[in-house]
Amino acid sequence: MVRKAFLGLISIAALLVIVGYLGQFHRGADTVAIGRPVFGIICILGIFVARSLTLRFAFGTIALLAISTVAVSFLPQKSGGDIRVYSKNLWFGNKEFSAVVADIEAANVDVVMLQEVSVHNNPALQQLKAEFPHQYVCRFSRWSGIALASRLPFDGDPICSDSRAVLAAPILLKGQRVWVASAHIPWPWPHDSSENEKDAISLLSELDGPVIVAGDFNIVPWSGRVGRIAALTGTQLAGPARATLHLRNIPLPIDMVLAPGGGSLEMRPLLGSDHAGLVADLVLWPK
Protein backbone atom coordinates (compact mmCIF):
# COMPACT_ATOMS: atom_id res chain seq x y z
CA MET A 1 0.00 0.00 0.00
CA VAL A 2 2.80 2.40 0.97
CA ARG A 3 4.74 1.47 -2.18
CA LYS A 4 1.67 2.21 -4.32
CA ALA A 5 1.27 5.60 -2.64
CA PHE A 6 4.93 6.43 -3.30
CA LEU A 7 4.61 5.33 -6.92
CA GLY A 8 1.53 7.51 -7.29
CA LEU A 9 3.40 10.53 -5.94
CA ILE A 10 6.40 9.84 -8.15
CA SER A 11 4.18 9.40 -11.20
CA ILE A 12 2.58 12.79 -10.54
CA ALA A 13 6.04 14.36 -10.24
CA ALA A 14 7.07 12.78 -13.55
CA LEU A 15 3.92 14.09 -15.21
CA LEU A 16 4.62 17.59 -13.87
CA VAL A 17 8.15 17.49 -15.31
CA ILE A 18 6.65 16.77 -18.73
CA VAL A 19 3.94 19.42 -18.34
CA GLY A 20 6.64 21.98 -17.52
CA TYR A 21 7.97 21.67 -21.08
CA LEU A 22 4.66 22.70 -22.65
CA GLY A 23 4.90 26.44 -22.06
CA GLN A 24 4.42 27.19 -25.75
CA PHE A 25 0.89 25.83 -25.46
CA HIS A 26 -0.17 27.36 -22.13
CA ARG A 27 1.45 29.81 -19.71
CA GLY A 28 0.53 27.57 -16.80
CA ALA A 29 3.19 25.10 -17.91
CA ASP A 30 5.90 27.71 -17.31
CA THR A 31 4.64 28.15 -13.76
CA VAL A 32 4.77 24.37 -13.26
CA ALA A 33 8.37 24.39 -14.55
CA ILE A 34 9.44 26.36 -11.47
CA GLY A 35 9.18 23.12 -9.48
CA ARG A 36 11.20 21.05 -11.96
CA PRO A 37 14.23 20.57 -9.64
CA VAL A 38 11.99 19.15 -6.89
CA PHE A 39 10.01 16.99 -9.31
CA GLY A 40 13.26 15.65 -10.78
CA ILE A 41 14.58 14.64 -7.36
CA ILE A 42 11.28 12.88 -6.57
CA CYS A 43 11.60 10.96 -9.84
CA ILE A 44 15.00 9.66 -8.73
CA LEU A 45 13.20 7.86 -5.90
CA GLY A 46 11.23 5.97 -8.53
CA ILE A 47 14.39 4.12 -9.56
CA PHE A 48 14.46 2.51 -6.11
CA VAL A 49 10.72 2.18 -5.45
CA ALA A 50 9.50 0.77 -8.79
CA ARG A 51 9.77 -2.97 -9.32
CA SER A 52 9.27 -2.85 -13.06
CA LEU A 53 12.44 -2.30 -15.10
CA THR A 54 10.42 -0.25 -17.58
CA LEU A 55 9.17 2.09 -14.84
CA ARG A 56 12.66 2.44 -13.38
CA PHE A 57 14.02 3.40 -16.79
CA ALA A 58 11.17 5.88 -17.35
CA PHE A 59 11.62 7.55 -13.96
CA GLY A 60 15.39 7.67 -14.39
CA THR A 61 15.12 9.22 -17.85
CA ILE A 62 12.67 11.89 -16.68
CA ALA A 63 14.82 12.64 -13.63
CA LEU A 64 17.91 13.04 -15.79
CA LEU A 65 16.05 15.29 -18.21
CA ALA A 66 14.71 17.47 -15.41
CA ILE A 67 17.91 17.84 -13.43
CA SER A 68 20.21 18.34 -16.42
CA THR A 69 18.10 21.14 -17.91
CA VAL A 70 18.08 22.92 -14.54
CA ALA A 71 21.75 22.31 -13.71
CA VAL A 72 23.01 23.84 -16.96
CA SER A 73 21.61 27.22 -15.86
CA PHE A 74 23.90 27.20 -12.81
CA LEU A 75 27.15 26.45 -14.63
CA PRO A 76 29.77 29.22 -14.39
CA GLN A 77 30.92 30.84 -17.61
CA LYS A 78 34.03 32.69 -18.74
CA SER A 79 33.89 36.45 -18.46
CA GLY A 80 33.13 38.24 -21.70
CA GLY A 81 34.96 41.43 -22.58
CA ASP A 82 32.62 43.11 -25.04
CA ILE A 83 30.28 44.95 -22.66
CA ARG A 84 29.52 45.11 -18.93
CA VAL A 85 25.95 45.70 -17.76
CA TYR A 86 24.04 46.17 -14.51
CA SER A 87 20.44 45.03 -14.09
CA LYS A 88 18.12 45.42 -11.10
CA ASN A 89 14.46 45.50 -10.16
CA LEU A 90 14.57 48.55 -7.88
CA TRP A 91 11.25 47.77 -6.13
CA PHE A 92 8.80 50.62 -6.53
CA GLY A 93 8.93 51.62 -2.84
CA ASN A 94 12.73 51.61 -2.54
CA LYS A 95 14.02 54.47 -0.39
CA GLU A 96 17.67 53.38 -0.58
CA PHE A 97 18.07 54.16 -4.27
CA SER A 98 21.12 56.34 -3.55
CA ALA A 99 22.87 53.18 -2.33
CA VAL A 100 21.89 51.49 -5.60
CA VAL A 101 23.40 54.41 -7.54
CA ALA A 102 26.63 54.09 -5.56
CA ASP A 103 26.72 50.35 -6.27
CA ILE A 104 26.18 50.95 -9.99
CA GLU A 105 28.97 53.51 -10.12
CA ALA A 106 31.32 51.17 -8.20
CA ALA A 107 30.54 48.32 -10.62
CA ASN A 108 32.03 50.30 -13.53
CA VAL A 109 29.46 49.16 -16.11
CA ASP A 110 28.63 50.46 -19.58
CA VAL A 111 24.83 50.12 -19.47
CA VAL A 112 22.26 50.02 -16.65
CA MET A 113 18.85 48.34 -16.95
CA LEU A 114 16.32 49.08 -14.21
CA GLN A 115 12.79 47.83 -13.52
CA GLU A 116 10.02 49.10 -11.22
CA VAL A 117 11.23 52.66 -11.66
CA SER A 118 8.48 54.49 -9.79
CA VAL A 119 7.65 58.08 -8.95
CA HIS A 120 9.36 57.38 -5.58
CA ASN A 121 12.71 56.01 -6.77
CA ASN A 122 12.88 57.89 -10.08
CA PRO A 123 15.50 60.32 -8.64
CA ALA A 124 18.02 57.49 -9.03
CA LEU A 125 18.13 58.22 -12.76
CA GLN A 126 18.92 61.87 -12.13
CA GLN A 127 21.74 60.82 -9.80
CA LEU A 128 23.12 58.58 -12.56
CA LYS A 129 22.90 61.31 -15.20
CA ALA A 130 26.52 62.48 -14.90
CA GLU A 131 27.99 59.02 -15.44
CA PHE A 132 25.21 57.65 -17.68
CA PRO A 133 23.93 60.62 -19.72
CA HIS A 134 21.99 58.63 -22.31
CA GLN A 135 18.73 57.63 -20.64
CA TYR A 136 15.21 56.58 -21.47
CA VAL A 137 12.17 55.48 -19.45
CA CYS A 138 9.05 53.61 -20.56
CA ARG A 139 6.38 54.68 -18.07
CA PHE A 140 3.56 52.11 -17.77
CA SER A 141 2.17 53.35 -14.44
CA ARG A 142 3.25 55.33 -11.40
CA TRP A 143 5.11 52.28 -10.08
CA SER A 144 6.11 50.22 -13.11
CA GLY A 145 8.54 52.14 -15.26
CA ILE A 146 11.28 50.34 -17.18
CA ALA A 147 14.49 52.34 -17.61
CA LEU A 148 17.82 52.23 -19.36
CA ALA A 149 20.89 54.40 -18.75
CA SER A 150 24.06 54.21 -20.84
CA ARG A 151 27.54 55.68 -20.96
CA LEU A 152 27.48 54.91 -24.67
CA PRO A 153 25.41 57.07 -27.03
CA PHE A 154 22.13 55.90 -28.48
CA ASP A 155 22.25 55.00 -32.17
CA GLY A 156 18.58 55.64 -32.84
CA ASP A 157 15.34 55.96 -30.93
CA PRO A 158 14.50 53.67 -27.97
CA ILE A 159 11.32 51.58 -28.26
CA CYS A 160 8.69 50.75 -25.62
CA SER A 161 6.46 47.68 -25.75
CA ASP A 162 2.71 48.35 -25.86
CA SER A 163 2.22 46.85 -22.39
CA ARG A 164 4.71 46.43 -19.56
CA ALA A 165 7.35 44.12 -20.94
CA VAL A 166 10.43 45.61 -22.62
CA LEU A 167 12.34 48.81 -23.30
CA ALA A 168 14.90 48.42 -26.09
CA ALA A 169 17.47 50.99 -27.18
CA PRO A 170 20.20 50.86 -29.83
CA ILE A 171 23.67 51.90 -28.66
CA LEU A 172 26.90 52.44 -30.57
CA LEU A 173 29.62 50.08 -29.38
CA LYS A 174 32.98 49.73 -31.15
CA GLY A 175 31.44 51.29 -34.23
CA GLN A 176 28.60 48.78 -34.35
CA ARG A 177 24.94 49.01 -33.45
CA VAL A 178 23.91 46.86 -30.48
CA TRP A 179 20.43 46.60 -28.97
CA VAL A 180 20.12 46.60 -25.18
CA ALA A 181 16.74 45.65 -23.74
CA SER A 182 15.53 46.10 -20.17
CA ALA A 183 12.75 43.59 -19.44
CA HIS A 184 10.05 43.32 -16.78
CA ILE A 185 7.45 40.75 -17.82
CA PRO A 186 4.74 39.77 -15.27
CA TRP A 187 4.38 36.29 -13.78
CA PRO A 188 3.04 33.79 -16.35
CA TRP A 189 0.07 32.06 -14.68
CA PRO A 190 -2.25 32.65 -12.89
CA HIS A 191 -1.25 36.25 -13.60
CA ASP A 192 -2.94 37.52 -16.77
CA SER A 193 0.32 38.19 -18.62
CA SER A 194 -0.28 36.73 -22.08
CA GLU A 195 -0.46 40.16 -23.73
CA ASN A 196 2.71 41.30 -21.99
CA GLU A 197 4.68 38.33 -23.28
CA LYS A 198 3.22 38.78 -26.78
CA ASP A 199 4.25 42.44 -26.72
CA ALA A 200 7.76 41.47 -25.59
CA ILE A 201 8.07 38.96 -28.43
CA SER A 202 6.69 41.48 -30.91
CA LEU A 203 9.20 44.16 -29.96
CA LEU A 204 12.21 41.84 -29.71
CA SER A 205 11.45 40.28 -33.10
CA GLU A 206 11.96 43.68 -34.74
CA LEU A 207 15.54 44.12 -33.50
CA ASP A 208 18.41 43.52 -35.91
CA GLY A 209 22.00 42.81 -34.97
CA PRO A 210 23.38 41.76 -31.55
CA VAL A 211 20.84 41.93 -28.71
CA ILE A 212 21.22 41.94 -24.92
CA VAL A 213 18.14 41.27 -22.79
CA ALA A 214 18.40 41.80 -19.04
CA GLY A 215 15.92 42.22 -16.25
CA ASP A 216 13.14 40.63 -14.25
CA PHE A 217 11.63 37.79 -16.31
CA ASN A 218 9.43 36.65 -13.40
CA ILE A 219 10.17 33.04 -14.29
CA VAL A 220 13.10 30.63 -13.99
CA PRO A 221 15.87 30.26 -16.62
CA TRP A 222 14.74 26.79 -17.71
CA SER A 223 11.21 27.97 -18.53
CA GLY A 224 9.66 28.11 -21.97
CA ARG A 225 9.42 31.91 -21.77
CA VAL A 226 13.17 32.36 -21.41
CA GLY A 227 13.84 29.71 -24.05
CA ARG A 228 11.55 31.44 -26.54
CA ILE A 229 13.12 34.84 -25.96
CA ALA A 230 16.63 33.40 -26.22
CA ALA A 231 15.78 31.65 -29.50
CA LEU A 232 14.15 34.77 -30.91
CA THR A 233 17.07 37.07 -30.06
CA GLY A 234 19.89 34.63 -30.77
CA THR A 235 21.10 34.84 -27.17
CA GLN A 236 22.03 32.55 -24.31
CA LEU A 237 21.98 32.83 -20.56
CA ALA A 238 24.94 34.42 -18.81
CA GLY A 239 25.87 32.31 -15.85
CA PRO A 240 25.74 31.03 -13.30
CA ALA A 241 22.09 31.82 -12.60
CA ARG A 242 21.50 33.43 -9.22
CA ALA A 243 18.57 33.34 -6.80
CA THR A 244 17.79 37.06 -6.92
CA LEU A 245 14.41 36.87 -5.13
CA HIS A 246 13.27 34.90 -2.08
CA LEU A 247 9.52 34.41 -2.13
CA ARG A 248 8.35 33.03 1.21
CA ASN A 249 11.95 31.86 1.73
CA ILE A 250 11.95 30.02 -1.62
CA PRO A 251 15.02 31.09 -3.66
CA LEU A 252 14.04 32.01 -7.21
CA PRO A 253 16.46 32.88 -10.04
CA ILE A 254 14.06 35.13 -11.95
CA ASP A 255 16.39 38.02 -12.83
CA MET A 256 18.83 37.21 -15.60
CA VAL A 257 20.93 38.45 -18.50
CA LEU A 258 20.95 37.07 -22.05
CA ALA A 259 23.62 37.82 -24.66
CA PRO A 260 24.74 36.27 -27.99
CA GLY A 261 27.69 34.48 -26.38
CA GLY A 262 26.55 34.46 -22.76
CA GLY A 263 29.09 35.64 -20.20
CA SER A 264 29.84 35.71 -16.50
CA LEU A 265 27.40 36.87 -13.86
CA GLU A 266 27.74 38.16 -10.31
CA MET A 267 25.05 39.11 -7.81
CA ARG A 268 24.87 42.48 -6.05
CA PRO A 269 23.18 43.34 -2.71
CA LEU A 270 19.46 44.00 -2.24
CA LEU A 271 20.00 47.66 -1.27
CA GLY A 272 16.42 48.39 -0.29
CA SER A 273 14.82 46.17 -2.92
CA ASP A 274 13.36 42.67 -2.74
CA HIS A 275 15.52 41.77 -5.77
CA ALA A 276 19.29 41.48 -5.84
CA GLY A 277 21.09 43.25 -8.65
CA LEU A 278 23.19 41.57 -11.33
CA VAL A 279 26.41 42.57 -13.05
CA ALA A 280 27.34 40.69 -16.20
CA ASP A 281 30.43 40.69 -18.44
CA LEU A 282 29.08 39.65 -21.81
CA VAL A 283 30.14 38.21 -25.14
CA LEU A 284 28.47 39.98 -28.07
CA TRP A 285 30.47 38.52 -30.92
CA PRO A 286 31.16 34.83 -30.24
CA LYS A 287 34.19 33.47 -32.09
Side-chain angles (χ1 to χ4, degrees):
M1 191 69 177
V2 174
R3 181 185 295 273
K4 286 184 178 180
F6 267 118
L7 281 175
L9 175 64
I10 295 165
S11 298
I12 291 171
L15 178 61
L16 290 174
V17 169
I18 296 169
V19 169
Y21 286 95
L22 304 178
Q24 60 181 322
F25 301 109
H26 192 278
R27 292 171 294 115
D30 273 355
T31 304
V32 172
I34 295 172
R36 188 178 298 168
V38 176
F39 303 146
I41 292 171
I42 292 173
C43 286
I44 292 175
L45 299 177
I47 301 172
F48 304 99
V49 174
R51 289 173 176 167
S52 162
L53 186 61
T54 302
L55 272 181
R56 288 181 181 178
F57 178 80
F59 288 138
T61 301
I62 293 173
L64 179 63
L65 177 66
I67 294 172
S68 62
T69 55
V70 171
V72 71
S73 302
F74 294 94
L75 295 177
Q77 297 181 25
K78 291 184 178 179
S79 178
D82 293 326
I83 190 171
R84 184 171 167 90
V85 304
Y86 189 111
S87 178
K88 184 177 181 67
N89 181 322
L90 281 178
W91 183 58
F92 68 91
N94 195 339
K95 297 179 181 179
E96 299 178 31
F97 51 80
S98 292
V100 177
V101 170
D103 191 54
I104 291 170
E105 292 174 344
N108 191 30
V109 297
D110 302 298
V111 178
V112 180
M113 280 87 106
L114 300 174
Q115 303 85 45
E116 285 198 32
V117 179
S118 68
V119 295
H120 302 292
N121 60 41
N122 191 67
L125 289 172
Q126 188 60 41
Q127 293 181 23
L128 287 168
K129 193 76 175 178
E131 294 288 333
F132 301 88
H134 310 283
Q135 299 186 357
Y136 200 83
V137 180
C138 294
R139 175 63 61 194
F140 298 100
S141 71
R142 287 174 58 83
W143 70 270
S144 63
I146 301 177
L148 190 145
S150 174
R151 295 185 192 272
L152 305 164
F154 290 154
D155 189 34
D157 296 328
I159 309 170
C160 299
S161 54
D162 291 338
S163 62
R164 173 167 64 89
V166 176
L167 155 61
I171 60 171
L172 196 60
L173 176 65
K174 300 178 182 178
Q176 298 192 50
R177 190 186 221 202
V178 174
W179 285 94
V180 286
S182 180
H184 189 197
I185 310 172
W187 285 93
W189 179 86
H191 198 290
D192 185 17
S193 64
S194 58
E195 288 303 316
N196 304 79
E197 184 168 335
K198 287 178 183 176
D199 288 341
I201 296 296
S202 176
L203 187 152
L204 293 171
S205 65
E206 297 176 2
L207 309 183
D208 56 336
V211 178
I212 297 165
V213 188
D216 180 1
F217 288 73
N218 269 314
I219 199 62
V220 290
W222 52 88
S223 66
R225 170 183 286 177
V226 176
R228 290 189 293 274
I229 290 175
L232 177 69
T233 55
T235 58
Q236 62 187 59
L237 187 72
R242 302 287 189 173
T244 52
L245 175 74
H246 286 74
L247 184 63
R248 295 186 175 90
N249 295 320
I250 300 173
L252 296 174
I254 63 173
D255 299 88
M256 59 201 84
V257 183
L258 305 175
S264 64
L265 197 73
E266 63 180 80
M267 194 162 66
R268 309 298 282 194
L270 293 174
L271 302 174
S273 174
D274 52 349
H275 290 248
L278 295 173
V279 171
D281 287 289
L282 303 173
V283 179
L284 284 175
W285 297 284
K287 296 180 181 179

